[in-house]
Amino acid sequence: MNQLLYSKLSSLFKVELSLATSIGQIQLDRPVMLASGILGISLDVFNRLYRSGVGAVVTKSLSTEPWEGYPNPTIFSVKGGGWINAVGLSNPGATNFAKMIEPNQDVPIIVSLVGSIPEDFETMIKQFENCKVTAYELNLSCPHVAKVGLEVGDDPELVKKIVTTAKNTTDVPIIAKVGLGTTHYLNTVSAAIDSGIDAITAINTVRAMAIDVETQRPILSNKFGGLSGTPIKPIALRCVYEISSKHDIPIIGCGGISTWEDAVEFFLAGASAIQLGSAVGDNWIDVFNDINNGILQYMKRKNYSSIKEMVGLAKKQ
Amino acid sequence: MQRNNNHTTIVTIEKVIDETPTVRTLVFSDDVMSNVLPGQFAMVWIPGVNELPMSVMISKEPGKAAFTVRKHGPASTGLFNILEGQQIGIRGPYGNSFDLKEGKLLLVGGGTGLVPMMRLLTFVKPTDDVTVLIGAKSKDEVFFEDLANNLLENNPHKVIVSTDDGSYGEKGFVTDLVEKLVSKSHFDGVYVCGPEIMMYKTVQSAHSRKMFVQASLERMMKCGVGICGSCCVGEDLVCRDGTVFDGQHLSTNKEFGHFYRNKAGILENY
Ligand SMILES: Cc1cc2nc3c(=O)[nH]c(=O)nc-3n(C[C@H](O)[C@H](O)[C@H](O)COP(=O)(O)OP(=O)(O)OC[C@H]3O[C@@H](n4cnc5c(N)ncnc54)[C@H](O)[C@@H]3O)c2cc1C
Ligand SMILES: Cc1cc2nc3c(=O)[nH]c(=O)nc-3n(C[C@H](O)[C@H](O)[C@H](O)COP(=O)(O)O)c2cc1C
Ligand code: FES
């Protein structure tokens, strides 16, 4: 975060305010992460985002081979707020990506992976052996690419195999990212927890579409995409609350967060950290420091010295 | 109510102008696009085909704007083939714009990179002394020469064309002309848009002589709003931080002039 403001606030209030948070074994200096798929392909950009206040960057979801993704249009701005995207998980592939981030020392990087069988995840994790990786996030919830993402998350038995394989491949913490599919997402969460998952990210985008009334055609080239941004915030918040009510597992809240109030809501619902993506499109990368600063002021006002003190408070009411 | 730039607006193509065998200008009515700053671009949806970033071209009539497109792959060919009366979707304008200096100006455009230069010309002051360099492969591919002369009729000006094969104007690369001109006299502002190698050389020629120079970069664009990351050049996102960057900044960028990213995001050499 903005070091100057941080020390100013700390001395002004004569307390040791800290934005540090832990998600199980994962320690972060700041609780706001960049969500997967947003600005996620260049180490130079990661460095810039880190200077702009992110606690960690989650990479674009990587596959064993490079993917071009769908043709444009891949993004649509919804009237009334939010975005629908069907980028189609375009990515340079795990091997190329691992080479690119090898020099990284400073930025906490969470590598997001997508695949259809347990071996895919094992192969990819091995590619990152020479890289400093804070955690892996398994994308079990992309709603618009066949055979991966939600189709995997919708099969709890497959989820178990994938999580078990990933856990057996590395000691680095493994996060499962869940979303709304045809199987109740709580079954996916349970399957992941049974297999030893370290944390849960909830939620991914929600399957959606847009049709243009003039030309009478679906706008996205893939017709369907994932809805993100402010319209899904209440849904994501509900999911975080539900998971934290049912399980004792570290949670990362994601979906429609764009202000410090949104962030605090997710902490109160049970999240130890948050991710955001769409808000970058709306407010550019200043959004990270704005949220960090807002959280700090709130903590002071409510007399908290750490994020941990507010995690899950709404469940006690 | 003010329009949200990110929402798609459907417009009807009113006029199609053939510029060269492979380049066409498509004119449409839209107040917002008719008033954009030089260098800004739109995301253009060709229904059923694709969506492409396009610089916004000027039109002679108020309230109208245009796109000038070169037929290339599937997407640009789709736009090139749009007929009068057909509809396309537009969103934007996106991006920043050129900082216009006063005095002696040099504008360098290659191919459809001339589009932002034409809009820039509508902003020059009558006292500015303007040189426009137009680069093309051959005589067939030269366009906007008359337009540039018309736009500058009240200015001291020169419009110089160079073709790679010498079939029209001066023979050789336009960047050789740039080097010749900036080594002879000082320009208060140098502006360039076109193929990246051409921009790289122009920026080097001008920046090494401490002249103010700006280039409008092109990268693979999917979202246009700074979400997808596909347009990154080093630390910069072309859609959000650019498309216009100055020589000072570009001289510190490791990727400009050397690498671009393909559709999967893999870094490739120019
Ligand atoms: C800010 C900006 C302004 C532009 N202005 C104009 C203009 O005024 N007139 C004009 O003719 N062209 C313009 N272009 C280029 C245009 O967007 C396309 O890149 C070009 O028309 C080729 O596209 P294609 O899909 O037909 O080719 P393809 O055969 O599909 O692709 C060939 C190459 O074109 C480029 N390309 C394809 N799709 C995109 C995309 N979505 N974004 C960026 N590059 C892409 C890539 O380098 C690709 O490798 C502009 C590009 C940018 C980024
Ligand atoms: C353009 C775009 C691309 C995305 N790509 C991925 C991806 O590759 N992997 C993934 O797990 N989630 C992906 N997501 C989902 C986001 O990580 C996030 O879960 C979702 O956008 C909700 O958060 P938000 O409302 O803050 O954007 C993508 C979202 C967007 C908008
Ligand atoms: S085009 Fe998506 S970030 Fe620039």
Side-chain angles (χ1 to χ4, degrees):
Chain A
M1 70 160 286
N2 184 330
Q3 282 301 331
L4 200 68
L5 186 71
Y6 182 91
S7 51
K8 247 197 217 156
L9 279 173
S10 303
S11 62
L12 196 63
F13 300 127
K14 295 190 181 58
V15 284
E16 212 29 67
L17 287 171
S18 169
L19 280 174
T21 189
S22 54
I23 307 112
Q25 302 297 310
I26 307 164
Q27 308 284 336
L28 299 180
D29 290 341
R30 305 171 289 211
V32 191
M33 306 181 205
L34 177 80
S36 176
I38 318 299
L39 301 182
I41 56 172
S42 146
L43 182 58
D44 287 333
V45 175
F46 292 169
N47 276 302
R48 174 176 173 188
L49 287 158
Y50 192 50
R51 292 198 308 272
S52 305
V54 302
V57 293
V58 185
T59 70
K60 177 89 214 151
S61 291
L62 302 162
S63 46
T64 53
E65 299 297 322
W67 286 348
E68 282 199 358
Y70 298 129
N72 273 354
T74 46
I75 298 241
F76 175 77
S77 163
V78 183
K79 288 193 176 143
W83 302 84
I84 307 177
N85 91 83
V87 169
L89 296 176
S90 85
N91 79 87
T95 317
N96 286 314
F97 199 88
K99 258 188 234 132
M100 181 193 67
I101 64 164
E102 232 180 76
N104 174 59
Q105 287 302 320
D106 304 329
V107 187
I109 294 182
I110 296 178
V111 173
S112 171
L113 301 172
V114 69
S116 43
I117 50 171
E119 291 72 31
D120 288 347
F121 293 87
E122 182 182 354
T123 312
M124 288 191 281
I125 289 172
K126 285 185 173 158
Q127 307 274 338
F128 288 90
E129 266 164 5
N130 298 325
C131 302
K132 206 173 143 200
V133 172
T134 300
Y136 293 97
E137 185 179 85
L138 313 179
N139 177 354
L140 306 174
S141 43
C142 175
H144 54 74
V145 179
K147 309 234 164 43
V148 298
L150 256 189
E151 291 193 15
V152 170
D154 272 339
D155 180 348
E157 287 312 307
L158 185 55
V159 168
K160 280 186 192 164
K161 286 186 198 139
I162 287 173
V163 173
T164 306
T165 304
K167 286 298 295 174
N168 288 338
T169 312
T170 177
D171 293 331
V172 174
I174 310 276
I175 306 163
K177 182 170 177 184
V178 301
L180 306 184
T182 48
T183 301
H184 199 295
Y185 77 97
L186 283 173
N187 295 340
T188 318
V189 169
S190 300
I193 292 175
D194 289 349
S195 317
I197 203 79
D198 297 287
I200 300 283
T201 299
I203 56 173
N204 210 311
T205 55
V206 179
R207 199 167 156 83
M209 79 179 299
I211 296 172
D212 173 56
V213 295
E214 286 303 320
T215 55
Q216 308 182 331
R217 283 174 181 275
I219 293 193
L220 297 172
S221 77
N222 185 53
K223 297 188 179 69
F224 303 109
L227 176 65
S228 64
T230 44
I232 68 166
K233 198 204 84 185
I235 302 172
L237 187 69
R238 179 265 294 183
C239 294
V240 167
Y241 191 91
E242 268 179 358
I243 299 168
S244 79
S245 303
K246 197 161 177 224
H247 297 284
D248 185 19
I249 183 92
I251 305 169
I252 302 164
C254 178
I257 296 167
S258 64
T259 63
W260 69 264
E261 288 97 328
D262 295 340
V264 169
E265 262 190 278
F266 277 82
F267 297 142
L268 297 175
S272 312
I274 55 156
Q275 295 178 359
L276 59 82
S278 300
V280 174
D282 296 319
N283 305 326
W284 201 213
I285 51 186
D286 306 327
V287 69
F288 296 105
N289 266 328
D290 289 349
I291 293 181
N292 284 337
N293 293 334
I295 296 171
L296 267 185
Q297 316 241 14
Y298 175 81
M299 285 169 66
K300 169 58 204 146
R301 190 150 55 74
K302 295 282 188 186
N303 265 323
Y304 298 130
S305 55
S306 75
I307 304 262
K308 201 162 54 194
E309 290 168 49
M310 48 179 151
V311 173
L313 282 187
K315 287 182 299 177
K316 298 205 180 116
Q317 309 298 315
Chain B
M1 206 179 77
Q2 220 195 340
R3 178 156 112 198
N4 178 330
N5 291 348
N6 291 330
H7 294 159
T8 306
T9 299
I10 302 294
V11 298
T12 304
I13 298 304
E14 294 164 14
K15 195 149 73 179
V16 177
I17 305 162
D18 283 326
E19 307 286 1
T20 79
T22 58
V23 177
R24 276 181 186 163
T25 298
L26 316 175
V27 184
F28 57 94
S29 294
D30 189 71
D31 267 335
V32 174
M33 291 297 167
S34 75
N35 287 313
V36 307
L37 295 169
Q40 289 191 297
F41 69 98
M43 292 300 292
V44 182
W45 178 46
I46 311 116
V49 182
N50 210 306
E51 187 187 43
L52 272 179
M54 283 281 139
S55 301
V56 185
M57 180 57 192
I58 52 169
S59 159
K60 283 182 216 113
E61 296 157 75
K64 295 192 177 179
F67 299 117
T68 296
V69 58
R70 179 188 297 277
K71 180 164 105 165
H72 184 91
S76 53
T77 303
L79 187 58
F80 180 87
N81 288 334
I82 292 275
L83 307 170
E84 283 176 8
Q86 288 187 332
Q87 292 177 312
I88 56 172
I90 52 173
R91 57 188 176 94
Y94 294 124
N96 64 359
S97 60
F98 292 102
D99 296 327
L100 197 56
K101 300 285 177 187
E102 286 179 36
K104 211 165 142 59
L105 308 176
L106 178 62
L107 278 64
V108 188
T112 53
L114 277 165
V115 169
M117 294 302 144
M118 294 302 115
R119 191 168 283 272
L120 192 61
L121 286 183
T122 65
F123 283 78
V124 298
K125 308 219 167 32
T127 47
D128 293 334
D129 174 354
V130 188
T131 304
V132 179
L133 300 184
I134 296 179
K137 285 207 174 79
S138 65
K139 188 176 182 197
D140 266 4
E141 292 299 330
V142 178
F143 58 96
F144 290 167
E145 186 187 5
D146 293 345
L147 179 62
N149 275 311
N150 289 343
L151 289 168
L152 289 168
E153 62 184 1
N154 298 323
N155 286 73
H157 75 275
K158 269 198 224 85
V159 177
I160 307 170
V161 178
S162 75
T163 51
D164 299 355
D165 64 0
S167 51
Y168 184 70
E170 311 234 349
K171 182 175 165 49
F173 293 125
V174 71
T175 45
D176 298 336
L177 268 178
V178 173
E179 178 62 23
K180 215 157 84 189
L181 289 177
V182 296
S183 66
K184 270 201 288 209
S185 48
H186 178 85
F187 288 88
D188 299 297
V190 178
Y191 305 91
V192 58
C193 185
E196 192 150 316
I197 303 303
M198 170 192 139
M199 294 198 279
Y200 181 73
K201 287 189 176 162
T202 302
V203 167
Q204 276 199 322
S205 292
H207 184 65
S208 64
R209 294 180 175 85
K210 302 199 167 47
M211 290 181 206
F212 178 82
V213 53
Q214 288 187 319
S216 168
L217 269 49
E218 268 192 26
R219 276 297 180 276
M220 186 66 211
M221 285 192 187
K222 294 182 179 178
C223 71
V225 294
I227 294 184
C228 74
S230 67
C231 69
C232 62
V233 186
E235 278 196 9
D236 300 314
L237 278 305
V238 173
C239 71
R240 196 88 193 215
D241 300 312
T243 60
V244 177
F245 297 91
D246 42 79
Q248 182 67 38
H249 186 83
L250 289 173
S251 62
T252 63
N253 190 305
K254 294 175 291 195
E255 289 177 19
F256 172 64
H258 300 288
F259 305 101
Y260 69 96
R261 279 173 202 273
N262 68 15
K263 287 177 183 170
I266 300 169
L267 215 51
E268 296 197 2
N269 275 305
Y270 263 113

